[in-house]
Amino acid sequence: MARVLQGSGKRRFAMTSTICPEPTAVDRKAPKEAVYATTVQTRPESLEFFIDGARHRGFVSFDWMPGECHHLAVASVQTDARHTTRYRFAAWSDSEAPDHTLVGRRHDQEIVGVFDSEYKLDVDCTPELARRLVLTPPTEDGFFPAGSVVQIELRSALPGEIVDEPEGWFTTVVVDQPRSITIDFSNRK
């Protein structure tokens, strides 16, 4: 069970846990009454992680005794509420696995979870030529890593198809945020 400690606008918790079976030699030297802050946060901020099964978002700080063990876990993929931005877990600053044990130290420690952003790119066109639009690089679900350069091309007609639309038209888009693009070919000859 956690209890909230007073802090500077940030959430701080004191939690009960088990002592690791083999504390390090450094941890054995700490007085038993001593507690040290362990801060866990994500970049970008406000993404989810779990400490001992309890859900947290963005930033939380705990006061732990040296040698005290806690379980840190994170979902490898998270999506925003609009489903237009996806975050892929990249690494913890302590270089450990996405799910691992955190041990209270004889000093304050900060653990940062870093995520890579991916943005949704929706492309539509008028008249209905969407089946001939090709995105390079290809994507299965419309998401691209932040900063990706995507070429949108209108490919030539299918064999046996007669079209009045332009062929070989293309444009390039930098996917630096979620985007919805509509391409209008209705006035082109």
Side-chain angles (χ1 to χ4, degrees):
M1 168 108 358
R3 67 182 167 87
V4 178
L5 301 174
Q6 297 300 317
S8 59
K10 303 287 185 178
R11 296 184 307 170
R12 291 175 58 90
F13 292 83
M15 299 188 72
T16 45
S17 72
T18 58
I19 300 295
C20 291
E22 295 287 330
T24 63
V26 172
D27 293 334
R28 286 188 190 125
K29 294 179 182 177
K32 293 203 186 268
E33 312 81 47
V35 293
Y36 299 91
T38 296
T39 302
V40 180
Q41 62 183 316
T42 61
R43 288 200 185 110
E45 295 177 358
S46 77
L47 297 177
E48 266 184 5
F49 57 91
F50 299 85
I51 305 267
D52 297 333
R55 181 187 322 244
H56 301 280
R57 282 196 176 275
F59 175 97
V60 67
S61 187
F62 300 93
D63 287 333
W64 291 341
M65 292 176 38
E68 200 175 313
C69 292
H70 296 275
H71 184 253
L72 173 62
V74 65
S76 60
V77 177
Q78 299 182 37
T79 306
D80 71 343
R82 295 174 301 167
H83 301 284
T84 58
T85 304
R86 182 166 58 196
Y87 304 97
R88 286 196 184 276
F89 179 74
W92 288 112
S93 59
D94 62 359
S95 302
E96 294 289 339
D99 295 5
H100 67 282
T101 300
L102 283 179
V103 180
R105 301 287 179 219
R106 258 192 46 182
H107 53 81
D108 293 346
Q109 63 180 334
E110 178 181 63
I111 309 297
V112 179
V114 178
F115 291 76
D116 295 327
S117 299
E118 298 177 344
Y119 300 115
K120 180 85 168 164
L121 174 62
D122 288 317
V123 181
D124 195 13
C125 67
T126 60
E128 293 299 320
L129 299 172
R131 64 190 174 88
R132 292 187 25 225
L133 286 178
V134 176
L135 303 181
T136 306
T139 177
E140 290 183 18
D141 59 5
F143 281 91
F144 292 90
S148 292
V149 177
V150 177
Q151 180 174 307
I152 304 168
E153 179 181 1
L154 180 65
R155 291 280 167 94
S156 59
L158 299 171
E161 185 178 30
I162 300 172
V163 294
D164 292 328
E165 295 83 20
E167 294 182 15
W169 175 92
F170 73 93
T171 189
T172 303
V173 175
V174 176
V175 185
D176 55 359
Q177 64 184 359
R179 294 186 180 270
S180 183
I181 298 171
T182 301
I183 303 165
D184 187 356
F185 289 115
S186 61
N187 293 327
R188 295 184 181 236
K189 296 265 179 185

